[in-house]
Amino acid sequence: MSKTIKHYWEDFAVGQVRDLGTISPTREEIITFASQFDPQPFHLDDEAAKASVFGGLCASGWHTCAMAMRLMVTNFLHETSSLGSPGLEGIQWLKPVFPGDTLRLQTTVLETKPMGKRPDVGMTRNRWEMFNQNGDKVLNMEGWGMFRRRTPATA
């Protein structure tokens, strides 16, 4: 698959904020994800969920992360020189996500640095924040991304 690269590492600036769109999980999607990856009762069964601390069927936190990743890839990474990620520094699931919620993803560049051993790669540390339709933050995570440089560093 050929792609047009619009953003290289040099295009990221500390403080830069991107709104990466919305996604709304359905009851069926929540149950399907949980059935395969997080089969806890409050993600699978309406009655069990009502009796839980959540008060109703809700998405797995891992499903929330996966939805954030989907928005990131679809609405941004496909146009970048992304080389993947070495990992996350932290994930916080702050509020439950219920069927029909409309989730919006926003990312903020916190830090950029060249990769020491790879002059053709730079790294960015980003904060990912996902909000529901009421403006409540449901997900907060930070992590690093690796991007090809437009112009490799010279020694």
Side-chain angles (χ1 to χ4, degrees):
M1 176 173 103
S2 174
K3 70 177 185 175
T4 301
I5 297 176
K6 295 182 181 178
H7 306 282
Y8 290 84
W9 176 75
E10 292 88 346
D11 299 318
F12 295 94
V14 172
Q16 189 174 42
V17 176
R18 283 192 169 78
D19 189 338
L20 296 175
T22 62
I23 193 166
S24 297
T26 66
R27 178 182 180 278
E28 292 74 26
E29 290 167 339
I30 288 171
I31 291 171
T32 297
F33 184 96
S35 294
Q36 189 169 2
F37 300 109
D38 191 357
Q40 296 183 74
F42 40 84
H43 300 317
L44 297 170
D45 179 82
D46 290 306
E47 291 306 312
K50 282 181 192 172
S52 76
V53 297
F54 304 113
L57 188 80
C58 62
S60 163
W62 298 112
H63 188 185
T64 304
C65 289
M67 289 185 281
M69 190 69 211
R70 177 58 193 228
L71 289 172
M72 173 65 86
V73 171
T74 301
N75 298 326
F76 185 61
L77 288 181
H78 277 316
E79 299 179 336
T80 72
S81 64
S82 175
L83 299 170
S85 171
L88 298 170
E89 295 174 343
I91 299 173
Q92 296 173 305
W93 298 304
L94 303 168
K95 289 194 176 264
V97 171
F98 298 106
D101 278 355
T102 299
L103 306 175
R104 177 180 58 84
L105 180 64
Q106 175 180 296
T107 63
T108 305
V109 178
L110 302 175
E111 181 180 350
T112 67
K113 65 180 184 179
M115 184 177 264
K117 295 181 181 181
R118 296 276 316 264
D120 60 329
V121 177
M123 297 182 62
T124 66
R125 186 168 62 89
N126 301 280
R127 178 182 307 117
W128 301 35
E129 297 170 292
M130 187 168 262
F131 302 90
N132 67 18
Q133 67 279 359
N134 301 316
D136 298 325
K137 191 185 300 186
V138 300
L139 171 68
N140 188 68
M141 62 184 184
E142 292 183 10
W144 289 91
M146 299 179 296
F147 296 88
R148 189 168 313 284
R149 295 177 76 164
R150 183 177 286 110
T151 308
T154 56

